[in-house]
Amino acid sequence: MKEIDVITIGDKTMRLVRGDITERTVDAIVNAANSHLQHGGGVAGAIVRKGGGIIQEESDNIGYTPVGTAVITSGGRLPAKYVIHAVGPAIGEGDEDDKLKKAVKSVLLLASGKKLKSISMPAISSGIFGFPKDRCAKILVHESLAFLKENPDCSLDSVEFCIYDDLTLKYFAGEFRALKAL
């Protein structure tokens, strides 16, 4: 795990790290889920493989959540206590930017409502859902920053973006640099 950059917003931080989200020791990691909460491939599959079948069982009990929303399960055997399953848009379904913004806000509201202190997010929708990585980075970073600024009393102390691949990391690092230049 390698920390790439940090932005401070009052007493809160946004962090960019490179690594495997299933290894993060935070209150909750975010899963880039589908609406039916079937966690077969990508990040979702890795989360269930490492965290155990309880994550899929709890997801099955929830059953369904629409695009732009998020739900929470336990973290099973993961270092994180919880998994927040965020459903971002697939490219081509229409209104994708707004749907991704809603998904990020849903994650942050859910985490704050559960009084969580720290979360780690992957690049939601930028994998098999085909959302452009540059737009994903811009939306996730800016929506998280806006939430922390607009909700200074929320429980979240740290919002982290945990990125695995070089190309996506480049876009997130660019967003962090651009914010620091303001």
Side-chain angles (χ1 to χ4, degrees), residues 71-117:
V71 296
I72 194 166
T73 65
S74 72
R77 295 187 308 261
L78 295 169
K81 296 177 200 129
Y82 300 100
V83 178
I84 297 175
H85 306 275
V87 183
I91 207 67
E93 68 184 45
D95 204 20
E96 296 96 348
D97 285 18
D98 282 339
K99 289 175 181 175
L100 186 55
K101 288 175 185 177
K102 286 178 185 165
V104 173
K105 190 164 187 176
S106 292
V107 164
L108 297 168
L109 285 169
L110 184 56
S112 186
K114 284 276 191 190
K115 304 287 186 229
L116 304 182
K117 299 265 186 220

Side-chain angles (χ1 to χ4, degrees), residues 20-49:
D20 179 348
I21 199 165
T22 65
E23 297 173 0
R24 300 305 294 150
T25 304
V26 290
D27 289 341
I29 62 170
V30 177
N31 173 29
N34 58 58
S35 287
H36 295 284
L37 303 173
Q38 294 302 303
H39 313 306
V43 174
I47 288 170
V48 170
R49 279 191 301 281

